[in-house]
Amino acid sequence: MKRWHEPLAVAVLVGGYVGAFHRFGLFDFADEGLQLAQAWRVAHGERPYVDFHTGYGPLYFTLQGALVRWGGLGAVRAALAAVHVASAVLMFVLTRRLAGRVLAWVAIAIQLAFFLPVAPALGAPFNVPYPAWYAEVAGLGIAVVLSGSSAIGIPAAVVAGLLVGSTCAVKVNSGLLLGAGTVLALALQPGSGRV
């Protein structure tokens, strides 16, 4: 089987699962309601930190406000589905690279069972537009890039830096943790002179 068939199968599986629940109600008004209300405010010209208080970065509100303007809740949920698919594909590729094909499929099963659950009385937590979902994709992207070869070159370090910076602009604490981990991973790479 070609190397890209399995990640494509993961994308179809996770995309179908998440897509099947795209209309599955509000998980929690305080969580999803607040996120969507703030995105709505940005879509209608308000600015975070000036017109309302928030703990998230400006890139998050730029993205969410644009989605709300473009297509409302449907666009937000479609973007979340794409984020979950990207996360699953990156996790599959990383796990397959580090632990083999069987454990990569086990990782996807665990993701579906524990990290993308459906709570029948409450809704689907993966439909809440948490900034952490974007940080997860960036973290997995960095791990895939940095695990791609034994010596990390300038292009990989630049991609990692861009993902860290973007994450800081979405969710500052996640970006800082991701940045610290990335710097440590680069410093501990074979041939870095720091091992």
Side-chain angles (χ1 to χ4, degrees):
M1 184 178 258
K2 293 191 178 184
R3 301 292 287 175
W4 58 270
H5 283 141
E6 288 179 315
L8 181 60
V10 167
V12 169
L13 174 71
V14 173
Y17 174 80
V18 174
F21 295 103
H22 78 282
R23 293 184 186 265
F24 203 77
L26 292 175
F27 175 64
D28 181 349
F29 183 76
D31 274 347
E32 186 176 27
L34 177 63
Q35 301 298 322
L36 293 172
Q38 289 177 340
W40 184 88
R41 292 174 78 168
V42 171
H44 289 84
E46 292 189 30
R47 295 167 295 169
Y49 326 112
V50 174
D51 298 312
F52 61 90
H53 297 289
T54 182
Y56 300 123
L59 181 57
Y60 171 73
F61 290 103
T62 301
L63 292 170
Q64 294 303 106
L67 289 168
V68 168
R69 246 187 334 273
W70 179 62
L73 179 60
V76 171
R77 296 248 172 104
L80 285 171
V83 164
H84 294 311
V85 166
S87 173
V89 168
L90 289 168
M91 182 173 52
F92 181 86
V93 168
L94 179 66
T95 307
R96 183 176 66 181
R97 184 180 291 164
L98 299 176
R101 183 174 173 266
V102 172
L103 287 178
W105 282 107
V106 169
I108 296 304
I110 290 170
Q111 181 186 29
L112 289 173
F114 295 105
F115 296 101
L116 297 176
V118 175
L122 298 172
F126 53 81
N127 281 330
V128 178
Y130 292 126
W133 297 127
Y134 298 100
E136 176 186 22
V137 172
L140 286 165
I142 290 170
V144 166
V145 167
L146 295 183
S147 70
S149 67
S150 60
I152 302 302
I154 299 293
V158 168
V159 168
L162 289 171
L163 288 170
V164 166
S166 297
T167 303
C168 280
V170 168
K171 191 171 190 291
V172 177
N173 59 345
S174 294
L176 293 174
L177 290 171
L178 188 57
T182 301
V183 167
L184 185 61
L186 288 170
L188 294 177
Q189 280 293 318
S192 68
R194 294 181 179 31
V195 179

